[in-house]
Amino acid sequence: MPELTWVATDLKTGVILADLPDLDVRSVKTTLGRYESAQGVLPLPTAPENWQRATLEGASNLILLEDDAPYWGGMVTEPTLSEGDTVPLNLATLEAYFDKRYVGHELFAQVGQNVIVKTLVEKYAVAGPLGGVPFRVQFTTPGNGKLRDLECKDASDKTLYSILTDLMGLDGGPEWTVGWERQHNPERITPVLFVGDRIGVAPPQGLGPAATFEMPGCVSSFVMVRSFANGRGANSVVATSTASGDVRLQSPAQLAADPIRPTFEHRWTPSTSIKIVDTLIDHALAALRILEKGSSAVALSADAGTAPTGWGIGDDLGFVIGVSGVVPAVPGGVSGTARCIGWERTFGGTPTITPTLFETTIASL
């Protein structure tokens, strides 16, 4: 099993403040294009002398190291102090910092979407009147990405997080996630914003995924849900924006040919500030790609000690579940591939790893 340890770092510089060998965090989670939370408990009898600075809210990160390499990190958002000898801590992954920074007047005309993200992050997260967080922006795919038009206004009170979320929600929009890297002289651990047309990799044509989860095998639990319920399936999608008087801007209905199902409609407002119909069409197309076949959600948890390694967020993963008599609901077994858009790792008696799977393709064995 790999060695797992915790350290505290300075949020503004990444400089390591303290080792936290007895910090107790039961689980950590990360999701593509979204921030996640975690909870920990620091025992004071064995805490380092500078534990108050090391866990100062809005000023510190707690970083999980796996064999001394950064694996997960979250900034301290809320310690709870009491008469006891432990300090409960609330943490949030560093995507949450984007939700604390507001974007001013910006205008991009036919600029690559990855460049737009890099420009906004460097201006509104790395910089700031009182300093920022030292994100390094790295493109995960060649080139600057699809050309986009984007106008931001200070009066709209849009956070960097909301704008990045809107961009990712466009058809073919830029995907992004935060990782970590270790640097030296001085020793520090700093965040990296990965952005590109895709995060992670699909297997080459004709080849299977690099990692496959199996039951019997490392998988301890498996659930598959197929749904065409409200919000989970539609073959006609309309994206809308805020009404001006009696006129509401909206996309034409984007349709998916479906010889089996009748019309199932879905309407929603991806952003209240969109003023260009083509942008609404991009949002509607992106939603249609998700909804047109309904959802085929696969949830599985695996033993962290025997689960396959060498995969990461955004990668396509394989699964092979059941042989005759092993899983009654799928007596012949099922196999498939699914994109991993996040993961959760638990610690304790039986550590587990649970990939969050999306865009599932399923076949009977």
Side-chain angles (χ1 to χ4, degrees), residues 85-333:
D85 63 355
T86 61
V87 177
L89 300 163
N90 287 344
L91 312 174
T93 57
L94 225 58
E95 291 91 342
Y97 182 70
F98 299 150
D99 212 22
K100 304 292 287 184
R101 299 295 303 271
Y102 288 85
V103 174
H105 292 285
E106 298 291 340
L107 180 62
F108 300 93
Q110 291 297 284
V111 177
Q113 60 186 13
N114 301 333
V115 174
I116 293 175
V117 172
K118 184 176 189 292
T119 302
L120 292 176
V121 168
E122 290 179 346
K123 186 171 181 179
Y124 295 101
V126 177
L130 300 175
V133 173
F135 289 95
R136 180 176 68 83
V137 181
Q138 178 174 320
F139 292 175
T140 62
T141 48
N144 295 331
K146 185 175 181 178
L147 299 180
R148 301 281 186 189
D149 296 326
L150 177 67
E151 183 178 6
C152 307
K153 295 185 178 181
D154 185 67
S156 297
D157 294 331
K158 298 274 286 186
T159 66
L160 177 58
Y161 182 75
S162 67
I163 290 175
L164 296 184
T165 300
D166 289 346
L167 284 169
M168 186 169 163
L170 294 169
D171 184 40
E175 297 184 346
W176 51 273
T177 192
V178 173
W180 298 85
E181 63 184 356
R182 183 184 282 275
Q183 300 191 60
H184 307 284
N185 300 318
E187 194 71 15
R188 61 201 190 278
I189 299 172
T190 52
V192 182
L193 179 76
F194 296 98
V195 61
D197 299 337
R198 171 168 176 154
I199 302 293
V201 296
Q205 186 73 24
L207 298 179
T212 298
F213 291 74
E214 299 186 9
M215 178 187 237
C218 65
V219 176
S220 56
S221 66
F222 165 79
V223 176
M224 180 173 63
V225 179
R226 302 177 67 95
S227 176
F228 217 79
N230 191 30
R232 295 186 178 274
N235 46 30
S236 174
V237 177
V238 172
T240 69
S241 190
T242 303
S244 176
D246 294 331
V247 180
R248 183 181 70 180
L249 196 66
Q250 65 183 51
S251 72
Q254 302 302 302
L255 306 175
D258 194 331
I260 298 174
R261 297 183 177 91
T263 301
F264 283 82
E265 296 178 310
H266 179 70
R267 293 190 180 194
W268 97 116
T269 302
S271 174
T272 59
S273 61
I274 296 174
K275 298 181 179 180
I276 302 173
V277 172
D278 284 349
T279 302
L280 290 173
I281 292 174
D282 270 347
H283 278 290
L285 283 171
L288 183 65
R289 295 182 195 280
I290 296 171
L291 298 173
E292 62 179 318
K293 296 180 181 179
S295 69
S296 298
V298 172
L300 57 85
S301 291
D303 182 294
T306 58
T309 59
W311 57 273
I313 191 169
D315 290 348
D316 285 359
L317 302 180
F319 57 89
V320 178
I321 305 296
V323 294
S324 181
V326 174
V327 182
V330 285

Side-chain angles (χ1 to χ4, degrees), residues 51-89:
W51 68 266
Q52 290 176 300
R53 173 62 187 90
T55 59
L56 184 62
E57 64 278 8
S60 305
N61 298 312
L62 302 188
I63 309 294
L64 175 63
L65 305 177
E66 182 179 75
D67 291 336
D68 210 36
Y71 180 81
W72 183 92
M75 63 179 177
V76 179
T77 59
E78 187 176 278
T80 300
L81 308 178
S82 69
E83 76 282 355
D85 63 355
T86 61
V87 177
L89 300 163

